[in-house]
Amino acid sequence: MCSASFHIAGLLEKMASSDKDFRFMATNDLMMELQKDSIKLDEDSEKKVVKMLLKLLEDKNGEVQNLAVKCLGPLVGKVKEYQVETIVDTLCTNMLSDKEQLRDISSIGLKTVISELPPAATGSTMTANVCKKITAQLTGAIGKQEDISVQLEALDILSDMLSRLGGTLYSFHSSILSCLLPQLTSPRLAVRKRAIVALGHLVLTCSGNIFSELTEHLLAELKKNESTSTTRTYIQCIAGISRQAGHRIGEHLEKIIPLIVQYCNVEDDELREYCFQAFESFVRRCPKEIDPHIPSVMGLCLKYITFDPNYNYDNEEEEERMETENGEDEEQESDDEYSDDDDISWKVRRAAAKCLEAIVSSRHDLLQDFYKTLSPVLISRFKEREENVKADIFSAYIALLKQTLPTQSWRHASDASGKDDVPLTMLQNQVPNIVKALHKQLKEKSIKSRQGCFSLLTELASVLPGCLADHIPALVPGIVFSLADKSSSSNMRIDTLSFLHVLLCNHQPEVFHPHIKSLLPPVVACIGDSFYKITSEALLVTQQLVKVIRPLGKSCTFDAKPYVKDLFPGTLKRLKAADIDQEVKERAISCMGQIIYNLGDHLSTDLQPTLKIFLERLKNEITRLTTVKALTLIASSPLKIDLRPILGDGFPILASFLRKNQRALKLSTLTALDILVKNYSDSLKPAMIESVLMELPALINENDMHVSQVAVTFLTTLAKVYPSCISKISGSILTEILQLVHSPLLQGGALNAIIDFFQALVLTKTAAMGCSELMKQLTAPIYSSGSAGASVTLHKQAYYSVAKCVAALSSACPKEAPGILNQFIQDVKSPKSSSAVKVLAFLSLAEMGRTMNLSAQKELKTVILEAFTSPSEEVKSAASYALGNISVGNLKEYLPFMLKEIGSQPKRQYLLLHSLKEVISSSPADGLKPYVEDIWALLFKHCECTEEGTRNVVAECLGKLTLVNPSELLPRLKKQLSSGSPHARSTVVTAVKFTIADQPQPIDALLKSCIGDFLKTLEDSDLNVRRVALAMFNSAAHNKPSLIRELLNAVLPSLYSETKVRRELIREVEMGPFKHTVDDGLDVRKAAFECMYTLLESCLDRLDIYEYLNHVEDGLKDHYDIRMLTFIMLARLSTLCPNAVLQRLERLIEPLRATCSTKVKAGSVKQEFEKQDELKRSAMRAVAALLTIPEVEKSPAMAEFSSQIRSNPEMASLFESIQKDSASLPTTESMDTS
């Protein structure tokens, strides 16, 4: 301890030395000491250090001064409060001194101290006291308008303090306000600007009264309009406030906007610019309140974006007619005549363009209006003469194109509704005007405007693929010019290349053929460029060009041969080079792969040496993955490239890749091997194949289903091409595959791959792998599980997998099939069989019956009906599944029998209905048509059944049956809505839910016209009907948003009313000595919130997000299940519409804070603790999501809450673990794809 004080005492002595170097070094050492966490100063040392540093602030040497200031930061946290106050007092006094240098250094000192003060929430009073001291001094300094630079510094420091510690200065807010307002009329503009910044930080944390006082003052001053210069300042101030705290200014907009509109018409360009800046910030920050004013704001923007009083654009039309060689020089001269330094009208145009961009980005719903009114005006302004303005006009138009891009998500991909087409058609019609306005500019000298043109055209080509097909001749000269122009910057060339890439990808090859001659040389020249980014972009373009020059899929008259000599050498040079950028290496490999794939037959003697290079690249760890992909491409080429020279060395290398840990490499290698075996079977030797086979068993396991699936697919190919090889190693591979079949995780693609493999295996006709042998191995675990000593119990899923494999085997060996069938029927009949064996037998019969006609088996029906009385639930459901599927294979015999049974056997009804559901789901529509009437009548008899399970099955049958003949059956369903019983109504509504699928279907158009009538049941008097109506609405919103988009205005009020807690539905139930409250409305509320969540994903642009947030807010205080849902909604909202959430933060944070700080009663059960814990985690996730919103830290409520989280150990550790989870998510995914 002593040694530290002693060391510091030594330093202080040197700091007083007359030699500046000593002072400098000693101060530097002191800084090092202060930055150590371990340092503790006693009172005396504290005093001395503070005194010394303050003295050094006035040192003659600038460097010593700078270091002394830097020491103040770490010092603040190490000394007692009164010492900090001493520092601050001295600094404030120095701020007012006459020496300029001292003033500057003191103001830097104050900023340093402020940035180091601990946030108020840590509970120390120091910050508050120090701030009060500083504030009092600063407001004084600002008020005395003696020296302008003192004022500026003071305003700067005040802004710093308000932005970091605004909440702490609460008591000073009104005095700060009264000190700042007069500064807005200061004669110096710089003072006004800083005052506006300070006010912007003040409005974030001040109380409502102070905010109103400020806005009232600004409005009053604006109405007075004493001088244009002050009016400008007030409008700037309003814009500044709206940028910082847009959510608060919303309620005052009604009064503000008319005033600003009125000032737009004053002849003062700067004033107009500020007006548009204000509009822009309103549009971005208060979207709801500005809504009624959008038309008038847009009108003003469109008027002033063309506002250029000092320049005459008319002569351009004439110039186009008489274009001479020296046209450009003439324009130059005319430009100079008009050059007018005082002309600032461009600022007005720029502000109007930015404001338009804000409107376009935030109002997706007005797209069609934009294309009618806004798009033509913007296109006509592409000729703007001022570069900065042109850039903003381009970016406004790009924003419009981005809005037009149909939302690319899986939901909309399958849901091609007509809504998105109108703007696209309107855009299509405007493409010629866009190209006409741009193609000249592609050859201008200005790089900035060329880059703007290319980024706009790139966006256009992505939004409307194929739209530029007719305009290629107009664009090619510009592209060539930018690539070949020596004065172009490298970014310019990269932009041009990336546009060319998008263009080539989105258009038909034929349109480029006339231009290949001019396009190819500059691109090839770029491959040789010394800057790696240009090279890599050029290789990407070349790869696309190769596909264009010779598209292999279709017949093409274009002769590619002359261009090979241009393409090949440049790419080869890059492929050979070992000392180049990683990305260039990879793209050179891919590009060369494409050249060999499309043009391999033109390479003659160059082909083999090039393939040898590929072999080298395979051996290199960095390039091996890309090379495997390139080889896969080459091997699949229809030109049948001769790969024999590299197969011998290549195969063992590929085999070794299957052992590597890199998943992507395994997958790509398997695909490559598969293609090689298919296309080059005659060149492979058995030894080569065996080296690969050895590696395969290890790849087949349930830990990675996808790799297993690809491996099994490859095995299937081998079994077809090299049956002899398979028999050698079938043992080890079969054990793995059978283990996979018995795994509960097997389904979908992997299962189908295994079925294909079994069928291929049986067809190889090798003795060891006969059909019966395989059957034995497949079913062994199930037959043995009945015996006492069996330890294997299989998952339900495994029975389905085995049954599917059995059915596949029996269809591959038709001779064995009857024997297999009889075996299963005997198993079912035999009383000795365990229920597991019976389940397997029924499932296998089901799978076989679906494809074979089993009518020859006379006893099947009785056997199945007997099984319906079995004590085991599993056997019952397997039997019902079997009956359904066997009927699919033979409708004529089984369906009438099934319908008769349903009518006569009320006890077995549920199982029989399940069989019927299988029949309706799996049969082709034509086969079912003759029976539709009978089935329909039967189902309607049961739609009022009291048992909900039965009703649900009936509903599913009705829904799927409706799909057979929608035009006739859907109206019948609609008629049933008016029926008396709530049970029948709920069945009908559920049936409609089953008609909505995520793929396009013939019923869609009919559904769209009448879904409104079904949605009226959201207002049904019966609780259960409302619940199923919500489930149906949710299904529509999830799978086919286009069905309900147009109806949302009518439906949302009833949806929102279901989110309210209904007191009359809450009842008390007595359970012995305890009273237990039951809320019957909970399920309906939950369903309503689920619908709200789905709408976020599919119909966000149709929601009034503020109204929506009101209900989310209520949900945050509701029951456990609903709070869990609303936390997820809140997290989603903070990414989808951060601005709206920011406006409501104060109200949203309270329930989150309440959840995070609840304590469970000490004697509660374990479930209660777990529940509460899960709730807290979920709430924390929502908090973490809120914290990702830009500018959220400016909200005082959020700042206070987050510091509360940090200071409470339990909440802090929870929050940290949530952040770790969210941080690890993306990385694990990216690791998988590597």
Side-chain angles (χ1 to χ4, degrees):
M1 178 62 240
C2 266
S3 65
S5 306
F6 180 70
H7 182 51
I8 285 180
L11 289 178
L12 289 172
E13 199 177 307
K14 287 188 186 145
M15 284 159 86
S17 152
S18 57
D19 182 340
K20 65 173 190 294
D21 292 342
F22 270 141
R23 296 200 301 274
F24 179 82
M25 288 314 294
T27 316
N28 198 23
D29 291 349
L30 178 69
M31 174 120 144
M32 294 301 177
E33 285 297 318
L34 289 173
Q35 279 168 346
K36 291 181 188 158
D37 288 339
S38 57
I39 183 170
K40 297 268 188 299
L41 296 172
D42 51 28
E43 195 129 340
D44 189 38
S45 309
E46 268 185 28
K47 227 190 216 143
K48 285 181 179 158
V49 170
V50 170
K51 193 173 162 198
M52 195 70 214
L53 281 175
L54 289 174
K55 185 176 156 209
L56 287 182
L57 284 182
E58 302 182 35
D59 197 279
K60 292 195 232 16
N61 181 292
E63 289 178 349
V64 177
Q65 274 184 329
N66 286 342
L67 265 181
V69 165
K70 280 189 190 152
C71 287
L72 291 177
L75 188 68
V76 170
K78 304 276 192 297
V79 295
K80 302 212 172 35
E81 188 178 323
Y82 69 92
Q83 295 291 6
V84 180
E85 289 183 21
T86 316
I87 297 177
V88 170
D89 274 341
T90 316
L91 290 173
C92 286
T93 326
N94 288 350
M95 278 261 327
L96 303 174
S97 104
D98 305 333
K99 294 186 199 147
E100 191 177 341
Q101 195 181 8
L102 186 57
R103 281 203 307 254
D104 288 349
I105 208 87
S106 310
S107 68
I108 296 174
L110 274 174
K111 284 180 192 164
T112 314
V113 171
I114 290 169
S115 65
E116 288 296 330
L117 285 173
T122 49
S124 80
T125 52
M126 170 164 101
T127 305
N129 296 342
V130 171
C131 284
K132 285 171 188 163
K133 264 211 157 34
I134 302 182
T135 310
Q137 300 250 23
L138 287 180
T139 41
I142 295 170
K144 291 199 211 96
Q145 292 186 344
E146 287 162 12
D147 186 338
I148 204 90
S149 57
V150 175
Q151 243 183 336
L152 287 176
E153 287 297 350
L155 281 166
D156 218 11
I157 293 167
L158 188 62
S159 296
D160 260 16
M161 202 151 60
L162 284 169
S163 75
R164 203 171 160 267
L165 310 159
T168 325
L169 301 175
Y170 208 77
S171 49
F172 278 96
H173 280 176
S174 61
S175 66
I176 293 178
L177 184 67
S178 47
C179 142
L180 286 175
L181 287 179
Q183 302 311 319
L184 292 176
T185 50
S186 151
R188 291 292 296 270
L189 285 180
V191 174
R192 295 188 196 180
K193 274 206 172 129
R194 293 211 183 165
I196 291 175
V197 175
L199 282 169
H201 290 306
L202 173 68
V203 290
L204 277 170
T205 48
C206 67
S207 64
N209 302 341
I210 289 187
F211 190 79
S212 304
E213 188 186 327
L214 169 60
T215 26
E216 293 306 318
H217 174 83
L218 291 172
L219 281 168
E221 291 294 333
L222 269 181
K223 283 189 185 128
K224 275 192 217 156
N225 186 17
E226 283 170 0
S227 74
T228 330
S229 132
T230 53
T231 305
R232 282 184 210 156
T233 305
Y234 287 124
I235 288 183
Q236 263 184 302
C237 187
I238 288 179
I241 291 172
S242 144
R243 253 178 243 118
Q244 292 287 0
H247 51 284
R248 302 184 71 169
I249 206 167
E251 58 218 56
H252 303 278
L253 274 193
E254 278 308 308
K255 300 178 200 151
I256 297 174
I257 288 192
L259 285 172
I260 299 188
V261 169
Q262 167 199 328
Y263 284 121
C264 275
N265 301 324
V266 177
E267 283 297 322
D268 176 337
D269 289 349
E270 262 187 82
L271 181 59
R272 284 184 186 141
E273 178 193 8
Y274 298 149
C275 290
F276 282 120
Q277 285 171 347
F279 285 142
E280 181 194 353
S281 73
F282 297 150
V283 170
R284 290 200 189 276
R285 306 301 305 227
C286 339
K288 186 175 183 198
E289 292 84 356
I290 190 127
D291 189 42
H293 306 285
I294 288 276
S296 58
V297 172
M298 235 175 87
L300 282 168
C301 289
L302 291 175
K303 175 178 166 191
Y304 281 105
I305 199 167
T306 56
F307 168 71
D308 198 353
N310 303 337
Y311 188 75
N312 181 6
Y313 285 96
D314 298 340
N315 58 2
E316 292 205 353
E317 308 304 321
E318 293 152 30
E319 255 179 39
E320 271 183 25
R321 288 196 211 110
M322 37 177 274
E323 234 180 26
T324 50
E325 281 303 302
N326 56 358
E328 284 186 16
D329 309 336
E330 282 178 22
E331 263 180 55
Q332 288 299 206
E333 287 164 28
S334 58
D335 265 348
D336 297 337
E337 286 169 32
Y338 289 112
S339 119
D340 181 358
D341 295 339
D342 308 329
D343 173 21
I344 50 166
S345 64
W346 63 274
K347 288 189 172 175
V348 181
R349 298 198 298 279
R350 185 178 65 179
K354 285 198 159 153
C355 184
L356 281 176
E357 183 179 350
I359 294 175
V360 169
S361 319
S362 56
R363 298 302 302 266
H364 189 281
D365 47 333
L366 299 177
L367 252 185
Q368 294 192 24
D369 300 351
F370 291 156
Y371 274 108
K372 246 197 237 75
T373 52
L374 193 149
S375 173
V377 178
L378 282 177
I379 295 174
S380 71
R381 290 305 303 167
F382 288 167
K383 62 184 176 196
E384 168 66 55
R385 65 200 170 101
E386 190 65 48
E387 256 191 18
N388 296 331
V389 185
K390 189 188 281 187
D392 286 316
I393 290 175
F394 281 157
S395 70
Y397 204 85
I398 289 172
L400 177 62
L401 291 172
K402 284 204 164 101
Q403 287 289 335
T404 320
L405 195 62
T407 351
Q408 298 292 332
S409 75
W410 54 269
R411 281 215 179 100
H412 299 276
S414 59
D415 183 20
S417 58
K419 172 194 127 324
D420 291 338
D421 305 343
V422 185
L424 285 174
T425 331
M426 296 167 91
L427 172 60
Q428 181 72 56
N429 300 334
Q430 297 182 13
V431 170
N433 299 347
I434 296 179
V435 176
K436 187 178 172 207
L438 292 183
H439 79 94
K440 277 257 186 67
Q441 302 190 23
L442 290 178
K443 283 188 145 183
E444 274 183 13
K445 285 202 175 62
S446 147
I447 284 182
K448 193 169 180 185
S449 73
R450 274 188 290 167
Q451 273 179 310
C453 293
F454 278 129
S455 42
L456 195 151
L457 287 167
T458 308
E459 197 64 46
L460 180 62
S462 320
V463 173
L464 257 187
C467 66
L468 293 170
D470 307 338
H471 308 289
I472 304 283
L475 297 173
V476 168
I479 296 174
V480 174
F481 173 75
S482 275
L483 289 180
D485 179 24
K486 288 287 167 281
S487 61
S488 290
S489 66
S490 46
N491 280 353
M492 177 73 249
R493 282 148 114 186
I494 293 171
D495 287 354
T496 312
L497 286 165
S498 67
F499 164 62
L500 184 52
H501 185 243
V502 172
L503 193 65
L504 292 167
C505 292
N506 286 330
H507 291 75
Q508 290 301 323
E510 296 79 70
V511 294
F512 298 104
H513 287 161
H515 307 288
I516 296 287
K517 199 170 179 174
S518 49
L519 274 177
L520 199 58
V523 173
V524 172
C526 286
I527 296 183
D529 197 276
S530 53
F531 184 40
Y532 74 94
K533 283 192 172 162
I534 293 182
T535 309
S536 95
E537 202 63 46
L539 283 165
L540 212 55
V541 173
T542 311
Q543 189 174 343
Q544 202 57 38
L545 265 174
V546 173
K547 293 184 198 170
V548 167
I549 290 177
R550 188 177 186 192
L552 289 176
K554 40 188 164 184
S555 59
C556 165
T557 51
F558 184 72
D559 178 24
K561 193 151 192 199
Y563 300 105
V564 178
K565 61 178 191 309
D566 294 340
L567 283 167
F568 182 76
T571 313
L572 183 66
K573 185 177 163 205
R574 289 298 179 191
L575 180 66
K576 280 182 177 165
D579 53 348
I580 44 171
D581 182 77
Q582 169 73 12
E583 191 178 68
V584 178
K585 274 185 193 164
E586 288 177 4
R587 286 188 175 170
I589 294 170
S590 312
C591 181
M592 187 53 90
Q594 194 73 52
I595 291 177
I596 297 178
Y597 173 85
N598 289 61
L599 305 165
D601 49 353
H602 293 323
L603 293 178
S604 58
T605 53
D606 291 329
L607 180 59
Q608 295 314 329
T610 313
L611 289 173
K612 285 278 191 288
I613 302 178
F614 274 116
L615 202 54
E616 290 307 309
R617 298 285 171 267
L618 257 191
K619 295 174 186 164
N620 180 339
E621 191 175 337
I622 299 175
T623 51
R624 62 189 181 193
L625 180 59
T626 319
T627 314
V628 171
K629 287 180 178 163
L631 283 175
T632 312
L633 181 68
I634 294 171
S636 62
S637 167
L639 304 173
K640 300 274 177 280
I641 310 294
D642 179 15
L643 290 178
R644 277 173 308 194
I646 64 163
L647 284 179
D649 296 340
F651 238 75
I653 299 178
L654 288 174
S656 72
F657 289 169
L658 296 177
R659 257 172 300 188
K660 298 283 186 272
N661 215 352
Q662 193 182 354
R663 183 169 181 265
L665 183 65
K666 279 186 215 170
L667 287 169
S668 303
T669 306
L670 284 167
T671 320
L673 288 168
D674 193 49
I675 294 259
L676 286 168
V677 169
K678 276 186 188 142
N679 294 350
Y680 294 88
S681 52
D682 44 358
S683 331
L684 299 179
K685 300 188 177 59
M688 288 155 75
I689 287 174
E690 275 163 32
S691 69
V692 172
L693 278 173
M694 304 304 293
E695 308 293 343
L696 287 175
L699 297 181
I700 301 173
N701 62 22
E702 63 178 20
N703 297 339
D704 191 331
M705 278 298 180
H706 186 54
V707 171
S708 305
Q709 179 185 335
V710 180
V712 174
T713 311
F714 172 51
L715 278 168
T716 315
T717 308
L718 278 177
K720 289 176 185 159
V721 182
Y722 290 108
S724 53
C725 283
I726 285 286
S727 56
K728 289 188 188 162
I729 59 115
S730 53
S732 53
I733 282 184
L734 261 183
T735 19
E736 296 294 345
I737 290 186
L738 288 169
Q739 234 172 341
L740 206 52
V741 174
H742 298 143
S743 150
L745 305 175
L746 181 72
Q747 51 162 353
L751 177 58
N752 294 337
I754 289 181
I755 290 174
D756 289 344
F757 173 65
F758 280 149
Q759 287 180 322
L761 198 57
V762 178
L763 296 176
T764 59
K765 300 279 187 292
T766 40
M769 286 303 115
C771 189
S772 48
E773 178 59 31
L774 270 175
M775 289 292 268
K776 269 202 199 99
Q777 294 192 3
L778 265 173
T779 53
I782 294 167
Y783 281 106
S784 65
S785 66
S787 60
S791 58
V792 205
T793 46
L794 289 184
H795 188 271
K796 195 168 152 198
Q797 178 64 38
Y799 289 100
Y800 283 96
S801 306
V802 171
K804 284 202 162 81
C805 293
V806 168
L809 284 174
S810 61
S811 71
C813 326
K815 286 190 192 128
E816 317 253 345
I820 297 175
L821 267 175
N822 286 328
Q823 164 73 43
F824 284 136
I825 292 175
Q826 293 317 315
D827 282 342
V828 176
K829 278 167 49 183
S830 140
K832 290 198 193 105
S833 309
S834 67
S835 61
V837 172
K838 285 185 177 168
V839 170
L840 175 69
F842 275 129
L843 293 179
S844 305
L845 286 169
E847 295 299 337
M848 290 161 80
R850 189 180 304 171
T851 48
M852 297 156 67
N853 183 344
L854 299 185
S855 50
Q857 308 290 337
K858 295 288 174 248
E859 45 189 0
L860 253 180
K861 292 180 192 167
T862 45
V863 169
I864 290 177
L865 290 180
E866 270 167 29
F868 280 177
T869 55
S870 152
S872 149
E873 284 300 322
E874 258 91 36
V875 174
K876 279 190 209 167
S877 86
S880 119
Y881 181 74
L883 178 60
N885 278 300
I886 293 168
S887 312
V888 173
N890 186 357
L891 285 175
K892 209 160 57 207
E893 183 169 331
Y894 278 89
L895 195 58
F897 158 73
M898 191 192 297
L899 296 177
K900 187 177 112 238
E901 286 291 321
I902 293 179
S904 61
Q905 301 277 0
K907 280 207 176 105
R908 304 175 184 164
Q909 217 167 49
Y910 181 68
L911 292 168
L912 287 161
L913 281 169
H914 263 291
S915 305
L916 182 60
K917 182 189 81 181
E918 286 298 327
V919 175
I920 298 174
S921 311
S922 310
S923 302
D926 307 340
L928 276 177
K929 283 224 167 105
Y931 307 100
V932 167
E933 290 303 321
D934 304 349
I935 302 179
W936 190 266
L938 181 81
L939 288 171
F940 263 104
K941 277 193 195 129
H942 297 295
C943 74
E944 299 188 18
C945 173
T946 46
E947 184 60 48
E948 188 176 2
T950 309
R951 277 207 315 274
N952 281 346
V953 186
V954 169
E956 188 170 345
C957 292
L958 276 174
K960 293 192 165 156
L961 193 60
T962 307
L963 294 173
V964 175
N965 184 358
S967 51
E968 200 172 303
L969 299 179
L970 197 59
R972 287 197 206 172
L973 274 182
K974 194 164 123 184
K975 232 184 243 146
Q976 290 297 328
L977 278 178
S978 49
S979 79
S981 92
H983 281 341
R985 285 200 303 276
S986 74
T987 308
V988 169
V989 174
T990 311
V992 174
K993 180 177 92 176
F994 284 107
T995 61
I996 302 169
D998 55 357
Q999 297 304 325
Q1001 281 186 321
I1003 192 173
D1004 294 346
L1006 298 162
L1007 261 181
K1008 197 166 185 175
S1009 60
C1010 68
I1011 196 161
D1013 302 306
F1014 291 108
L1015 286 174
K1016 291 208 177 90
T1017 50
L1018 286 170
E1019 294 162 18
D1020 198 282
S1021 54
D1022 182 79
L1023 192 66
N1024 195 38
V1025 176
R1026 292 206 300 274
R1027 182 177 60 81
V1028 292
L1030 284 166
M1032 186 257 298
F1033 178 60
N1034 193 11
S1035 170
H1038 183 80
N1039 295 315
K1040 269 222 176 63
S1042 58
L1043 291 175
I1044 50 142
R1045 280 183 92 86
E1046 309 307 324
L1047 301 169
L1048 281 181
N1049 291 344
V1051 176
L1052 282 174
S1054 29
L1055 169 64
Y1056 287 150
S1057 73
E1058 290 306 323
T1059 63
K1060 301 268 180 288
V1061 178
R1062 305 259 166 103
R1063 293 269 162 260
E1064 67 272 17
L1065 293 175
I1066 297 177
R1067 55 201 167 90
E1068 278 202 338
V1069 182
E1070 291 194 2
M1071 300 171 87
F1074 300 109
K1075 281 194 172 165
H1076 184 62
T1077 49
V1078 176
D1079 181 352
D1080 292 326
L1082 179 63
D1083 283 344
V1084 176
R1085 281 210 307 286
K1086 209 161 133 189
F1089 276 106
E1090 281 167 3
C1091 288
M1092 283 173 63
Y1093 181 67
T1094 308
L1095 287 174
L1096 264 193
E1097 293 298 326
S1098 53
C1099 302
L1100 180 64
D1101 51 339
R1102 295 298 172 95
L1103 299 176
D1104 171 354
I1105 214 67
Y1106 296 95
E1107 169 71 3
Y1108 184 97
L1109 276 166
N1110 291 339
H1111 300 286
V1112 173
E1113 208 178 307
D1114 297 340
L1116 289 169
K1117 304 169 192 145
D1118 203 328
H1119 180 269
Y1120 166 80
D1121 292 340
I1122 288 173
R1123 265 153 66 197
M1124 290 294 276
L1125 253 173
T1126 43
F1127 290 151
I1128 301 173
M1129 283 158 80
L1130 196 54
R1132 198 73 197 96
L1133 279 161
S1134 34
T1135 48
L1136 291 173
C1137 32
N1139 284 343
V1141 176
L1142 261 186
Q1143 293 196 20
R1144 292 293 175 84
L1145 254 185
E1146 275 77 22
R1147 284 151 54 182
L1148 293 168
I1149 281 178
E1150 270 325 298
L1152 284 173
R1153 181 194 313 236
T1155 303
C1156 287
S1157 40
T1158 40
K1159 294 269 185 287
V1160 189
K1161 289 197 197 89
S1164 304
V1165 287
K1166 181 172 170 229
Q1167 281 92 331
E1168 196 53 43
F1169 278 105
E1170 285 171 357
K1171 222 169 164 182
Q1172 209 49 47
D1173 196 47
E1174 203 32 64
L1175 252 186
K1176 282 184 183 171
R1177 285 191 79 79
S1178 195
M1180 267 309 175
R1181 274 192 207 100
V1183 174
L1186 288 174
L1187 285 169
T1188 59
I1189 299 179
E1191 303 190 357
V1192 75
E1193 65 283 348
K1194 290 183 183 160
S1195 145
M1198 191 72 202
E1200 189 186 341
F1201 184 29
S1202 60
S1203 55
Q1204 183 185 341
I1205 292 175
R1206 279 197 296 271
S1207 55
N1208 172 338
E1210 186 190 340
M1211 289 207 284
S1213 68
L1214 180 61
F1215 183 66
E1216 270 168 29
S1217 76
I1218 295 281
Q1219 280 195 312
K1220 274 195 197 111
D1221 290 352
S1222 61
S1224 65
L1225 274 178
T1227 50
T1228 50
E1229 283 172 16
S1230 62
M1231 276 165 68
D1232 267 353
T1233 53
S1234 66

